[in-house]
Amino acid sequence: MNYDAALDSALTRLHDEGRYRTFIDIERHKGQFPRALWRRPDGTTREITVWCGNDYLGMGQHPSVLAAMHEAIDATGAGSGGTRNISGTTLYHKRLEAELADLHGKEAALVFSSAYIANDATLSTLPRLFPGLIIYSDALNHASMIEGVRRNGGAKRIFRHNDVAHLRALLAADDPAAPKLIAFESVYSMDGDFGPIGAICDLAAEFGALTYLDEVHAVGMYGPRGGGVAERDGLMGRIDIINGTLAKAFGVFGGYVAASARMVDAVRSYAPGFIFTTSLPPAVAAGAAASVAHLKRDQALRDAHQSQARILKMRLKGLGLPIVDHGSHIVPVHVGDPVHCKLLSDMLLDRYGIYAQPINFPTVPRGTERLRFTPSPVHTPRDLDHLIHAMDELWSQCALNRAVASA
Protein backbone atom coordinates (compact mmCIF):
# COMPACT_ATOMS: atom_id res chain seq x y z
CA MET A 1 0.00 0.00 0.00
CA ASN A 2 1.12 3.53 -0.76
CA TYR A 3 0.66 4.99 2.72
CA ASP A 4 1.53 8.55 1.73
CA ALA A 5 -1.05 8.48 -1.08
CA ALA A 6 -3.70 7.20 1.33
CA LEU A 7 -2.94 10.04 3.75
CA ASP A 8 -3.02 12.58 0.92
CA SER A 9 -6.39 11.23 -0.20
CA ALA A 10 -7.86 11.47 3.29
CA LEU A 11 -6.68 15.05 3.73
CA THR A 12 -7.81 16.06 0.22
CA ARG A 13 -11.34 14.90 1.05
CA LEU A 14 -11.44 17.33 3.97
CA HIS A 15 -10.17 20.18 1.80
CA ASP A 16 -12.68 19.37 -0.96
CA GLU A 17 -15.58 19.37 1.53
CA GLY A 18 -14.45 22.71 2.94
CA ARG A 19 -14.01 21.34 6.45
CA TYR A 20 -10.24 20.99 6.76
CA ARG A 21 -9.39 22.36 10.19
CA THR A 22 -6.65 24.94 10.58
CA PHE A 23 -5.14 26.03 13.87
CA ILE A 24 -4.22 29.63 14.45
CA ASP A 25 -1.27 30.39 16.67
CA ILE A 26 -2.33 32.68 19.50
CA GLU A 27 -0.59 33.90 22.61
CA ARG A 28 -2.77 34.89 25.54
CA HIS A 29 -1.49 37.78 27.65
CA LYS A 30 -1.89 37.50 31.41
CA GLY A 31 -4.44 39.96 32.71
CA GLN A 32 -5.58 41.00 29.22
CA PHE A 33 -7.88 38.15 28.18
CA PRO A 34 -9.85 38.08 25.85
CA ARG A 35 -7.08 39.97 24.11
CA ALA A 36 -4.42 37.75 22.51
CA LEU A 37 -1.62 37.96 19.98
CA TRP A 38 -2.14 36.17 16.65
CA ARG A 39 1.06 34.97 15.03
CA ARG A 40 0.44 34.73 11.30
CA PRO A 41 2.16 32.09 9.14
CA ASP A 42 4.31 34.83 7.56
CA GLY A 43 5.76 35.71 10.96
CA THR A 44 3.86 38.96 11.49
CA THR A 45 1.63 39.49 14.51
CA ARG A 46 -1.69 41.15 15.26
CA GLU A 47 -3.73 41.70 18.39
CA ILE A 48 -7.06 39.89 18.28
CA THR A 49 -10.08 39.36 20.52
CA VAL A 50 -11.01 35.75 21.30
CA TRP A 51 -14.76 35.13 20.94
CA CYS A 52 -14.79 31.33 20.85
CA GLY A 53 -12.84 30.26 23.93
CA ASN A 54 -14.13 28.00 26.68
CA ASP A 55 -12.54 30.01 29.50
CA TYR A 56 -16.08 31.25 29.99
CA LEU A 57 -15.47 33.42 33.06
CA GLY A 58 -11.86 34.45 32.49
CA MET A 59 -10.71 32.39 35.48
CA GLY A 60 -7.59 31.34 33.59
CA GLN A 61 -6.31 34.84 34.36
CA HIS A 62 -7.70 35.22 37.89
CA PRO A 63 -5.14 36.34 40.50
CA SER A 64 -6.21 33.73 43.09
CA VAL A 65 -5.74 30.94 40.57
CA LEU A 66 -2.35 32.16 39.43
CA ALA A 67 -1.18 32.71 43.02
CA ALA A 68 -2.14 29.15 43.98
CA MET A 69 -0.28 27.75 40.99
CA HIS A 70 2.85 29.78 41.70
CA GLU A 71 2.79 28.68 45.33
CA ALA A 72 2.49 25.01 44.32
CA ILE A 73 5.31 25.28 41.77
CA ASP A 74 7.58 26.88 44.34
CA ALA A 75 6.70 24.19 46.87
CA THR A 76 6.75 21.04 44.71
CA GLY A 77 8.20 21.71 41.27
CA ALA A 78 6.61 20.85 37.92
CA GLY A 79 5.16 17.36 37.43
CA SER A 80 3.50 14.92 39.81
CA GLY A 81 6.03 12.19 39.10
CA GLY A 82 3.67 9.29 38.65
CA THR A 83 0.19 7.85 38.45
CA ARG A 84 -2.21 8.38 41.32
CA ASN A 85 -1.46 4.82 42.48
CA ILE A 86 2.31 5.21 42.30
CA SER A 87 3.63 8.41 43.92
CA GLY A 88 1.29 10.77 42.02
CA THR A 89 -1.21 11.60 44.76
CA THR A 90 -0.44 14.81 46.61
CA LEU A 91 -2.22 17.03 49.09
CA TYR A 92 -3.15 19.25 46.12
CA HIS A 93 -5.03 16.42 44.43
CA LYS A 94 -6.82 15.52 47.65
CA ARG A 95 -7.71 19.17 48.27
CA LEU A 96 -9.11 19.50 44.75
CA GLU A 97 -11.23 16.36 45.06
CA ALA A 98 -12.58 17.55 48.41
CA GLU A 99 -13.57 20.91 46.84
CA LEU A 100 -15.33 19.12 43.97
CA ALA A 101 -17.20 16.68 46.22
CA ASP A 102 -18.38 19.63 48.30
CA LEU A 103 -19.38 21.58 45.17
CA HIS A 104 -21.73 18.83 44.05
CA GLY A 105 -22.92 17.66 47.45
CA LYS A 106 -21.37 14.22 46.95
CA GLU A 107 -19.33 12.02 49.24
CA ALA A 108 -16.33 11.89 46.92
CA ALA A 109 -14.82 13.02 43.63
CA LEU A 110 -12.13 11.65 41.34
CA VAL A 111 -9.89 13.81 39.15
CA PHE A 112 -8.81 12.72 35.65
CA SER A 113 -6.50 14.27 33.09
CA SER A 114 -9.53 15.65 31.18
CA ALA A 115 -13.31 15.52 31.22
CA TYR A 116 -13.10 13.50 27.99
CA ILE A 117 -11.08 10.82 29.78
CA ALA A 118 -13.36 11.02 32.82
CA ASN A 119 -16.40 10.28 30.63
CA ASP A 120 -14.70 7.64 28.52
CA ALA A 121 -13.04 5.84 31.43
CA THR A 122 -16.08 5.88 33.71
CA LEU A 123 -18.73 4.89 31.16
CA SER A 124 -16.53 2.14 29.70
CA THR A 125 -15.88 0.74 33.20
CA LEU A 126 -19.41 0.70 34.61
CA PRO A 127 -20.49 -2.57 32.89
CA ARG A 128 -17.64 -4.33 34.70
CA LEU A 129 -19.12 -3.08 37.96
CA PHE A 130 -22.73 -3.82 37.02
CA PRO A 131 -22.84 -6.96 34.81
CA GLY A 132 -25.60 -6.76 32.23
CA LEU A 133 -25.82 -2.97 32.48
CA ILE A 134 -27.85 -1.22 29.77
CA ILE A 135 -26.83 2.39 29.06
CA TYR A 136 -29.41 4.77 27.62
CA SER A 137 -27.58 7.64 25.91
CA ASP A 138 -28.94 10.87 24.47
CA ALA A 139 -28.34 11.06 20.71
CA LEU A 140 -26.45 14.35 21.03
CA ASN A 141 -24.17 13.36 23.87
CA HIS A 142 -20.55 14.47 23.64
CA ALA A 143 -18.08 12.32 21.70
CA SER A 144 -16.40 11.28 24.95
CA MET A 145 -19.65 9.80 26.26
CA ILE A 146 -20.35 8.09 22.96
CA GLU A 147 -16.86 6.59 22.95
CA GLY A 148 -17.17 5.37 26.53
CA VAL A 149 -20.52 3.73 25.84
CA ARG A 150 -19.24 2.21 22.59
CA ARG A 151 -16.13 0.74 24.16
CA ASN A 152 -17.72 -0.83 27.22
CA GLY A 153 -18.99 -3.84 25.31
CA GLY A 154 -22.37 -3.75 27.03
CA ALA A 155 -25.87 -3.09 25.80
CA LYS A 156 -26.77 0.44 24.76
CA ARG A 157 -29.87 2.29 23.66
CA ILE A 158 -29.81 5.70 21.95
CA PHE A 159 -32.80 7.93 22.65
CA ARG A 160 -33.74 10.90 20.48
CA HIS A 161 -32.31 14.14 21.78
CA ASN A 162 -34.16 15.32 24.90
CA ASP A 163 -37.08 13.03 23.96
CA VAL A 164 -38.35 11.77 27.31
CA ALA A 165 -41.19 9.80 25.70
CA HIS A 166 -38.71 7.89 23.52
CA LEU A 167 -36.52 7.23 26.54
CA ARG A 168 -39.51 5.88 28.45
CA ALA A 169 -40.39 3.53 25.61
CA LEU A 170 -36.83 2.18 25.50
CA LEU A 171 -36.74 1.67 29.26
CA ALA A 172 -40.12 -0.05 29.26
CA ALA A 173 -39.06 -2.46 26.50
CA ASP A 174 -36.13 -3.87 28.48
CA ASP A 175 -35.98 -6.44 31.26
CA PRO A 176 -37.15 -4.72 34.46
CA ALA A 177 -34.49 -6.62 36.41
CA ALA A 178 -31.57 -5.48 34.24
CA PRO A 179 -29.30 -2.77 35.70
CA LYS A 180 -29.73 0.50 33.83
CA LEU A 181 -28.02 3.88 33.53
CA ILE A 182 -29.19 7.04 31.73
CA ALA A 183 -26.38 9.24 30.40
CA PHE A 184 -27.14 12.81 29.31
CA GLU A 185 -25.95 16.41 29.53
CA SER A 186 -27.18 19.52 31.31
CA VAL A 187 -26.13 22.02 28.60
CA TYR A 188 -25.51 20.79 25.06
CA SER A 189 -22.67 22.96 23.87
CA MET A 190 -23.37 23.31 20.16
CA ASP A 191 -26.99 24.56 20.38
CA GLY A 192 -26.97 25.66 24.01
CA ASP A 193 -30.15 23.78 24.96
CA PHE A 194 -30.77 22.22 28.36
CA GLY A 195 -31.37 18.57 29.14
CA PRO A 196 -34.68 17.73 30.90
CA ILE A 197 -32.95 16.73 34.13
CA GLY A 198 -36.02 16.49 36.34
CA ALA A 199 -38.03 14.43 33.88
CA ILE A 200 -35.12 12.04 33.32
CA CYS A 201 -34.63 11.66 37.07
CA ASP A 202 -38.32 10.77 37.38
CA LEU A 203 -37.91 8.05 34.76
CA ALA A 204 -34.77 6.77 36.44
CA ALA A 205 -36.62 6.42 39.73
CA GLU A 206 -39.54 4.68 38.03
CA PHE A 207 -37.37 2.14 36.19
CA GLY A 208 -34.63 1.69 38.78
CA ALA A 209 -31.89 3.32 36.68
CA LEU A 210 -28.76 5.20 37.69
CA THR A 211 -28.30 8.75 36.36
CA TYR A 212 -25.08 10.06 34.78
CA LEU A 213 -25.02 13.80 34.07
CA ASP A 214 -22.36 15.65 32.10
CA GLU A 215 -22.19 19.21 33.50
CA VAL A 216 -19.07 20.21 31.55
CA HIS A 217 -20.62 23.35 30.03
CA ALA A 218 -22.41 24.32 33.24
CA VAL A 219 -20.08 23.88 36.23
CA GLY A 220 -18.93 27.21 37.62
CA MET A 221 -21.64 29.07 35.68
CA TYR A 222 -25.00 27.84 37.02
CA GLY A 223 -26.34 27.32 40.50
CA PRO A 224 -25.77 29.44 43.63
CA ARG A 225 -22.26 27.98 44.09
CA GLY A 226 -21.47 27.03 40.50
CA GLY A 227 -22.47 23.39 40.89
CA GLY A 228 -24.21 23.39 37.51
CA VAL A 229 -27.76 23.21 36.20
CA ALA A 230 -28.61 20.35 38.56
CA GLU A 231 -27.72 22.61 41.49
CA ARG A 232 -29.66 25.51 39.98
CA ASP A 233 -32.74 23.29 39.69
CA GLY A 234 -32.33 21.62 43.09
CA LEU A 235 -31.68 18.21 41.54
CA MET A 236 -28.08 17.35 42.48
CA GLY A 237 -29.24 14.83 45.06
CA ARG A 238 -31.03 12.85 42.35
CA ILE A 239 -27.95 12.46 40.15
CA ASP A 240 -25.78 9.42 40.87
CA ILE A 241 -22.68 10.45 38.87
CA ILE A 242 -21.77 13.99 37.80
CA ASN A 243 -19.05 14.63 35.24
CA GLY A 244 -17.38 18.02 35.04
CA THR A 245 -14.35 19.83 33.68
CA LEU A 246 -11.72 22.07 35.21
CA ALA A 247 -10.74 23.48 31.80
CA LYS A 248 -13.73 25.67 30.92
CA ALA A 249 -15.39 27.92 33.50
CA PHE A 250 -12.74 27.02 36.07
CA GLY A 251 -10.07 28.11 33.59
CA VAL A 252 -7.40 25.48 34.29
CA PHE A 253 -7.14 21.84 33.13
CA GLY A 254 -8.50 18.39 33.93
CA GLY A 255 -11.82 16.64 34.48
CA TYR A 256 -13.59 14.69 37.19
CA VAL A 257 -16.55 12.66 38.34
CA ALA A 258 -18.38 13.17 41.65
CA ALA A 259 -20.53 10.46 43.21
CA SER A 260 -20.91 8.31 46.31
CA ALA A 261 -17.72 7.22 48.04
CA ARG A 262 -18.43 3.63 47.04
CA MET A 263 -18.95 4.54 43.36
CA VAL A 264 -15.79 6.65 43.24
CA ASP A 265 -13.77 3.93 44.93
CA ALA A 266 -14.96 1.36 42.40
CA VAL A 267 -14.16 3.58 39.40
CA ARG A 268 -10.78 4.44 40.91
CA SER A 269 -10.02 0.76 41.33
CA TYR A 270 -11.20 -0.53 37.94
CA ALA A 271 -10.93 2.22 35.29
CA PRO A 272 -7.76 1.86 33.16
CA GLY A 273 -8.09 5.49 32.06
CA PHE A 274 -7.49 6.49 35.66
CA ILE A 275 -5.12 3.76 36.84
CA PHE A 276 -2.56 3.93 34.04
CA THR A 277 -2.12 7.67 33.44
CA THR A 278 0.09 10.22 35.15
CA SER A 279 -1.77 12.49 37.54
CA LEU A 280 -2.23 16.22 37.04
CA PRO A 281 0.77 18.39 37.94
CA PRO A 282 0.34 19.65 41.53
CA ALA A 283 0.31 23.27 40.35
CA VAL A 284 -2.62 22.53 38.01
CA ALA A 285 -4.52 20.83 40.82
CA ALA A 286 -3.79 23.77 43.12
CA GLY A 287 -5.00 26.31 40.57
CA ALA A 288 -8.16 24.33 39.87
CA ALA A 289 -8.95 24.00 43.57
CA ALA A 290 -8.51 27.75 44.02
CA SER A 291 -10.83 28.43 41.07
CA VAL A 292 -13.53 26.07 42.34
CA ALA A 293 -13.34 27.62 45.81
CA HIS A 294 -13.52 31.15 44.41
CA LEU A 295 -16.52 30.52 42.16
CA LYS A 296 -18.49 29.00 45.01
CA ARG A 297 -18.85 32.54 46.34
CA ASP A 298 -18.68 34.77 43.23
CA GLN A 299 -22.28 34.99 42.06
CA ALA A 300 -21.60 38.43 40.59
CA LEU A 301 -19.29 36.89 37.98
CA ARG A 302 -21.96 34.35 37.01
CA ASP A 303 -24.58 37.09 36.75
CA ALA A 304 -22.29 39.20 34.54
CA HIS A 305 -21.67 36.21 32.28
CA GLN A 306 -25.37 35.56 31.76
CA SER A 307 -25.98 39.26 31.13
CA GLN A 308 -23.30 39.33 28.43
CA ALA A 309 -24.85 36.31 26.71
CA ARG A 310 -28.33 37.87 26.76
CA ILE A 311 -27.05 41.16 25.32
CA LEU A 312 -25.12 39.46 22.52
CA LYS A 313 -28.08 37.28 21.54
CA MET A 314 -30.43 40.26 21.58
CA ARG A 315 -28.15 42.31 19.33
CA LEU A 316 -27.53 39.46 16.88
CA LYS A 317 -31.28 38.87 16.68
CA GLY A 318 -31.65 42.58 15.94
CA LEU A 319 -29.50 42.04 12.85
CA GLY A 320 -31.82 39.24 11.74
CA LEU A 321 -29.11 36.59 12.06
CA PRO A 322 -30.19 32.93 12.45
CA ILE A 323 -29.25 32.25 16.03
CA VAL A 324 -30.73 29.61 18.33
CA ASP A 325 -31.55 30.86 21.81
CA HIS A 326 -32.35 28.27 24.46
CA GLY A 327 -31.57 30.60 27.34
CA SER A 328 -28.03 29.38 28.02
CA HIS A 329 -24.70 31.16 27.59
CA ILE A 330 -24.00 29.47 24.23
CA VAL A 331 -24.53 31.76 21.20
CA PRO A 332 -24.53 29.78 17.91
CA VAL A 333 -25.01 31.55 14.58
CA HIS A 334 -26.03 28.98 11.98
CA VAL A 335 -24.37 29.25 8.58
CA GLY A 336 -25.28 25.86 7.13
CA ASP A 337 -22.34 25.46 4.77
CA PRO A 338 -18.74 24.56 5.66
CA VAL A 339 -17.14 26.76 2.99
CA HIS A 340 -19.14 29.84 3.92
CA CYS A 341 -18.60 29.16 7.61
CA LYS A 342 -14.83 29.03 7.15
CA LEU A 343 -14.96 32.14 4.94
CA LEU A 344 -16.84 34.11 7.61
CA SER A 345 -14.37 32.98 10.26
CA ASP A 346 -11.38 33.97 8.10
CA MET A 347 -12.82 37.39 7.30
CA LEU A 348 -13.63 38.11 10.94
CA LEU A 349 -10.02 37.35 11.81
CA ASP A 350 -8.29 39.04 8.86
CA ARG A 351 -10.41 42.20 8.65
CA TYR A 352 -11.57 42.76 12.21
CA GLY A 353 -9.19 40.89 14.51
CA ILE A 354 -12.06 38.75 15.83
CA TYR A 355 -11.35 35.07 16.42
CA ALA A 356 -14.37 32.78 16.10
CA GLN A 357 -13.48 29.27 14.98
CA PRO A 358 -15.84 27.63 12.44
CA ILE A 359 -17.71 24.61 13.80
CA ASN A 360 -18.11 21.97 11.10
CA PHE A 361 -18.83 18.24 10.76
CA PRO A 362 -18.23 15.94 12.65
CA THR A 363 -18.62 18.26 15.64
CA VAL A 364 -22.07 19.15 14.29
CA PRO A 365 -24.19 17.43 11.61
CA ARG A 366 -23.62 18.37 7.98
CA GLY A 367 -25.74 21.32 6.96
CA THR A 368 -25.71 22.82 10.46
CA GLU A 369 -22.25 24.42 10.32
CA ARG A 370 -22.02 27.46 12.55
CA LEU A 371 -20.01 30.12 14.29
CA ARG A 372 -20.23 29.62 18.05
CA PHE A 373 -19.65 32.72 20.15
CA THR A 374 -18.85 32.50 23.84
CA PRO A 375 -19.24 35.91 25.50
CA SER A 376 -17.58 36.36 28.87
CA PRO A 377 -17.64 38.91 31.69
CA VAL A 378 -14.27 40.21 30.50
CA HIS A 379 -15.51 41.18 27.03
CA THR A 380 -16.05 44.94 27.07
CA PRO A 381 -18.94 46.95 25.55
CA ARG A 382 -16.47 48.09 22.89
CA ASP A 383 -15.64 44.44 22.10
CA LEU A 384 -19.34 43.74 21.70
CA ASP A 385 -19.94 46.76 19.47
CA HIS A 386 -17.01 45.75 17.27
CA LEU A 387 -18.33 42.19 16.89
CA ILE A 388 -21.84 43.34 16.01
CA HIS A 389 -20.52 45.80 13.42
CA ALA A 390 -18.34 43.08 11.86
CA MET A 391 -21.13 40.50 11.72
CA ASP A 392 -23.53 43.02 10.22
CA GLU A 393 -21.15 43.88 7.39
CA LEU A 394 -19.90 40.35 6.70
CA TRP A 395 -23.28 38.61 6.88
CA SER A 396 -24.73 41.02 4.32
CA GLN A 397 -21.72 40.58 2.06
CA CYS A 398 -21.81 36.77 2.26
CA ALA A 399 -25.55 36.74 1.58
CA LEU A 400 -24.98 38.83 -1.53
CA ASN A 401 -22.15 36.56 -2.70
CA ARG A 402 -24.35 33.48 -2.26
CA ALA A 403 -27.15 35.10 -4.21
CA VAL A 404 -24.80 35.98 -7.08
CA ALA A 405 -23.29 32.48 -7.10
CA SER A 406 -26.69 30.81 -7.32
CA ALA A 407 -28.07 33.15 -10.01
Side-chain angles (χ1 to χ4, degrees), residues 162-201:
N162 280 351
D163 191 332
V164 177
H166 188 215
L167 174 58
R168 167 182 282 280
L170 294 174
L171 287 162
D174 282 319
D175 181 357
K180 302 174 177 66
L181 178 139
I182 306 170
F184 61 111
E185 300 185 35
S186 61
V187 179
Y188 289 85
S189 64
M190 289 300 109
D191 282 328
D193 55 332
F194 294 95
I197 302 175
I200 288 178
C201 287

Side-chain angles (χ1 to χ4, degrees), residues 120-206:
D120 185 6
T122 303
L123 288 168
S124 63
T125 297
L126 289 174
R128 297 179 62 189
L129 306 176
F130 307 107
L133 179 69
I134 304 171
I135 296 182
Y136 302 80
S137 179
D138 187 285
L140 293 189
N141 275 342
H142 188 266
S144 59
M145 301 174 78
I146 294 170
E147 183 65 14
V149 172
R150 184 190 67 79
R151 288 200 312 107
N152 68 32
K156 65 178 183 293
R157 312 282 186 261
I158 310 301
F159 61 94
R160 291 186 292 270
H161 177 53
N162 280 351
D163 191 332
V164 177
H166 188 215
L167 174 58
R168 167 182 282 280
L170 294 174
L171 287 162
D174 282 319
D175 181 357
K180 302 174 177 66
L181 178 139
I182 306 170
F184 61 111
E185 300 185 35
S186 61
V187 179
Y188 289 85
S189 64
M190 289 300 109
D191 282 328
D193 55 332
F194 294 95
I197 302 175
I200 288 178
C201 287
D202 290 342
L203 282 182
E206 180 180 348

Side-chain angles (χ1 to χ4, degrees), residues 28 54-62 65-66 69 219 245-254 284 287-288 291-292 295:
R28 285 166 52 126
N54 285 335
D55 187 357
Y56 290 124
L57 302 178
M59 289 301 293
Q61 307 285 303
H62 198 279
V65 174
L66 302 184
M69 297 184 75
V219 289
T245 184
L246 303 167
K248 292 184 171 61
F250 294 126
V252 191
F253 184 75
V284 171
S291 185
V292 173
L295 285 178

Side-chain angles (χ1 to χ4, degrees), residues 39-377:
R39 298 188 181 277
R40 297 185 179 99
D42 63 5
T44 61
T45 61
R46 178 180 181 178
E47 185 177 87
I48 62 171
T49 303
V50 178
W51 274 99
C52 59
N54 285 335
D55 187 357
Y56 290 124
L57 302 178
M59 289 301 293
Q61 307 285 303
H62 198 279
S64 66
V65 174
L66 302 184
M69 297 184 75
H70 281 296
E71 180 183 343
I73 288 174
D74 291 340
T76 69
S80 68
T83 67
R84 288 291 297 275
N85 295 309
I86 306 175
S87 81
T89 295
T90 70
L91 65 90
Y92 300 101
H93 297 87
K94 300 301 289 184
R95 183 181 300 160
L96 173 56
E97 288 172 343
E99 286 283 4
L100 292 168
D102 173 74
L103 175 67
H104 293 293
K106 300 300 182 187
E107 294 176 339
L110 191 65
V111 171
F112 292 77
S113 54
S114 72
Y116 187 107
I117 298 299
N119 269 334
D120 185 6
T122 303
L123 288 168
S124 63
T125 297
L126 289 174
R128 297 179 62 189
L129 306 176
F130 307 107
L133 179 69
I134 304 171
I135 296 182
Y136 302 80
S137 179
D138 187 285
L140 293 189
N141 275 342
H142 188 266
S144 59
M145 301 174 78
I146 294 170
E147 183 65 14
V149 172
R150 184 190 67 79
R151 288 200 312 107
N152 68 32
K156 65 178 183 293
R157 312 282 186 261
I158 310 301
F159 61 94
R160 291 186 292 270
H161 177 53
N162 280 351
D163 191 332
V164 177
H166 188 215
L167 174 58
R168 167 182 282 280
L170 294 174
L171 287 162
D174 282 319
D175 181 357
K180 302 174 177 66
L181 178 139
I182 306 170
F184 61 111
E185 300 185 35
S186 61
V187 179
Y188 289 85
S189 64
M190 289 300 109
D191 282 328
D193 55 332
F194 294 95
I197 302 175
I200 288 178
C201 287
D202 290 342
L203 282 182
E206 180 180 348
F207 288 93
L210 296 170
T211 48
Y212 186 106
L213 178 63
D214 181 308
E215 289 261 36
V216 160
H217 289 275
V219 289
M221 296 173 281
Y222 295 86
R225 297 201 311 154
V229 179
E231 184 195 27
R232 183 198 69 180
D233 296 346
L235 296 169
M236 280 199 306
R238 303 185 68 187
I239 303 297
D240 293 294
I241 305 173
I242 293 176
N243 169 274
T245 184
L246 303 167
K248 292 184 171 61
F250 294 126
V252 191
F253 184 75
Y256 64 90
V257 293
S260 69
R262 186 178 288 108
M263 181 73 77
V264 167
D265 194 21
V267 173
R268 177 190 69 84
S269 301
Y270 279 88
F274 176 83
I275 296 170
F276 297 106
T277 191
T278 301
S279 65
L280 291 181
V284 171
S291 185
V292 173
H294 176 87
L295 285 178
K296 287 177 181 177
R297 59 183 185 272
D298 196 344
Q299 184 59 41
L301 196 60
R302 278 188 284 279
D303 291 342
H305 181 226
Q306 292 294 322
S307 177
Q308 289 281 70
R310 285 193 297 271
I311 292 169
L312 177 56
K313 285 185 282 190
M314 177 184 68
R315 296 191 65 179
L316 289 173
K317 287 178 183 177
L319 298 179
L321 270 59
I323 78 165
V324 176
D325 183 4
H326 292 286
S328 75
H329 61 284
I330 305 295
V331 186
V333 177
H334 283 251
V335 179
D337 177 88
V339 174
H340 290 143
C341 196
K342 179 67 165 60
L343 179 62
L344 272 170
S345 174
D346 288 345
M347 289 192 295
L348 282 170
L349 188 62
D350 292 334
R351 298 184 186 180
Y352 300 94
I354 291 170
Y355 177 35
Q357 186 75 7
I359 308 295
N360 294 332
F361 178 84
T363 306
V364 296
R366 298 179 192 275
T368 69
E369 292 81 6
R370 67 201 65 183
L371 297 175
R372 175 182 174 272
F373 297 103
T374 54
S376 76

